[in-house]
């Protein structure tokens, strides 16, 4: 019998997901498909009897918008939502805004897979000449962080995502779970992967093969020490989930111009 249940959710498809571009810390809303994914997710969680006490999101709109749509579909709009930059997507540095498939043609699929999926490889840093630098670092939301803006990352490996996520997990999320609250974390592909690595003890090598599609809830059943009692479960139609996983994995493959 599980002591606690935790649900992780990668936000619904964003506008740049649709264009196969590295979105990262650029603030994007959900696409039309992403809105539907979030609503469908909420309906599924309602059917499964979930009643959330608390939701955690990043400070990026696609994460927050997903949480709102999920709660609305569940008739649980009143549930408190706590936002933190520490749940933000991985900072892809100088790769932000670039198309993954075009990069695969230019640099090779293996290099792009390393940048996207490896544990401890940091992409090239963003600098002030980057077209999205000012859009990110002049954004007022980053004045609300618990570190000075000058200390925010300029690029991150997945390891560095986990390093900045864990203090928030331990200080803020864990105590709520241990109080018996049912928690939803509506975040991003890499912040959810980093947390899964921590909770499940996934190896540095194997984490490269952990793929989370947009809008698919991941259920974790945990013991009193917050250790998984069984493998993570992606909830929903399993055939559709496998197709969605393949779609994510194909994003980093070269597509020849036609």
């Amino acid at each position: 019998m599980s002591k606690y249940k935790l649900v992780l959710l990668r936000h619904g498809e964003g506008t740049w997901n649709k264009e196969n571009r590295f979105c990262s810390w650029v603030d994007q809303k959900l696409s039309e498909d992403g809105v539907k994914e979030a609503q469908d997710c909420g309906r599924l969680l309602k059917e499964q009897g979930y009643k959330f006490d608390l939701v955690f999101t990043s400070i990026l709109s696609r994460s927050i918008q997903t949480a709102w749509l999920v709660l609305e579909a569940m008739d649980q709009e009143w549930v408190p939502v706590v936002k933190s930059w520490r749940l933000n997507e991985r900072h892809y540095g100088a790769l932000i805004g670039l198309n993954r498939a075009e990069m695969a043609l230019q640099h090779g699929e293996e290099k792009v897979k390393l940048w996207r999926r490896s544990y401890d490889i940091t992409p090239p840093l963003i600098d002030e000449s980057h077209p999205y630098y000012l859009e990110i670092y002049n954004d007022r939301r980053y004045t609300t962080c618990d570190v000075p803006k000058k200390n925010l990352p300029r690029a991150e490996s997945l390891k560095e995502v986990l390093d900045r996520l864990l203090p928030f997990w331990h200080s803020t999320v864990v105590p709520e779970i241990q109080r018996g609250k049912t928690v939803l974390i509506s975040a991003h592909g890499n912040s959810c992967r980093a947390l899964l690595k921590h909770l499940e003890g996934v190896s540095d090598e194997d984490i490269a093969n952990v793929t989370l599609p947009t809008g698919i809830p991941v259920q974790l059943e945990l013991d009193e020490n917050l250790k998984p009692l069984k493998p993570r479960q992606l909830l929903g139609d399993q055939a559709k989930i496998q197709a969605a996983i393949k779609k994510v994995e194909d994003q980093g493959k070269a597509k020849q111009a036609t």
Side-chain angles (χ1 to χ4, degrees):
M1 185 72 183
S2 63
K3 176 84 172 174
Y4 308 113
K5 277 188 181 178
L6 171 67
V7 176
L8 305 182
L9 176 62
R10 181 184 178 189
H11 61 78
E13 181 190 71
T15 50
W16 278 18
N17 292 127
K18 203 173 188 70
E19 297 169 16
N20 201 15
R21 297 164 73 190
F22 284 102
C23 189
S24 186
W25 282 31
V26 174
D27 197 50
Q28 295 283 318
K29 297 290 201 300
L30 298 181
S31 68
E32 285 185 22
D33 286 345
V35 169
K36 184 177 184 302
E37 286 175 353
Q39 292 168 333
D40 287 348
C41 174
R43 284 190 280 268
L44 173 67
L45 291 169
K46 183 179 181 180
E47 286 168 10
Q48 301 232 348
Y50 266 95
K51 292 179 172 63
F52 291 112
D53 300 303
L54 192 56
V55 179
F56 294 97
T57 74
S58 75
I59 57 173
L60 292 164
S61 295
R62 57 195 188 273
S63 160
I64 300 163
Q65 189 182 3
T66 296
W68 287 347
L69 290 166
V70 167
L71 291 175
E72 181 181 35
M74 298 179 76
D75 298 317
Q76 295 179 33
E77 294 97 327
W78 61 271
V79 172
V81 178
V82 177
K83 308 175 186 75
S84 173
W85 77 275
R86 292 182 179 275
L87 289 172
N88 270 21
E89 177 58 296
R90 176 182 170 192
H91 195 309
Y92 273 108
L95 306 184
I96 289 174
L98 300 179
N99 178 285
R100 297 179 183 92
E102 290 170 0
M103 286 180 62
L105 270 177
Q106 186 176 344
H107 299 285
E109 290 178 10
E110 281 307 307
K111 185 72 170 176
V112 173
K113 184 176 181 181
L114 276 177
W115 279 333
R116 291 181 66 213
R117 311 305 294 279
S118 66
Y119 182 57
D120 56 4
I121 294 177
T122 305
L125 302 185
I126 195 171
D127 63 28
E128 293 182 15
S129 68
H130 192 282
Y132 291 99
Y133 181 91
L134 291 179
E135 182 175 328
I136 294 170
Y137 293 101
N138 283 351
D139 193 315
R140 192 164 64 92
R141 78 192 69 204
Y142 293 111
T143 65
T144 69
C145 299
D146 57 359
V147 297
K149 196 190 292 189
K150 64 182 174 62
N151 292 343
L152 290 171
R154 297 298 188 264
E156 293 174 304
S157 64
L158 188 65
K159 179 180 186 300
E160 290 164 322
V161 174
L162 184 57
D163 288 345
R164 54 104 155 149
L165 187 157
L166 279 180
F168 181 75
W169 167 254
H170 288 303
S171 69
T172 307
V173 183
V174 166
E176 299 294 352
I177 295 174
Q178 290 178 329
R179 288 186 191 107
K181 293 190 176 177
T182 303
V183 167
L184 167 67
I185 297 179
S186 171
H188 303 265
N190 284 298
S191 44
C192 289
R193 288 173 67 235
L195 195 50
L196 280 175
K197 186 182 193 305
H198 171 70
L199 291 171
E200 296 185 329
V202 182
S203 72
D204 295 359
E205 294 74 28
D206 289 345
I207 194 62
N209 299 314
V210 174
T211 300
L212 300 179
T214 56
I216 303 294
V218 182
Q219 176 181 280
L220 294 169
E221 297 190 31
L222 308 172
D223 67 15
E224 63 274 10
N225 299 311
L226 301 187
K227 300 295 184 188
L229 289 165
K230 55 175 72 171
R232 76 186 90 101
Q233 186 179 359
L234 276 65
L235 303 178
D237 182 304
Q238 294 302 307
K240 288 182 180 176
I241 289 169
Q242 290 307 310
I245 288 172
K246 184 176 187 306
K247 181 180 174 184
V248 174
E249 291 174 343
D250 286 348
Q251 286 175 343
K253 294 183 178 177
K255 292 180 175 61
Q256 302 289 342
T258 55

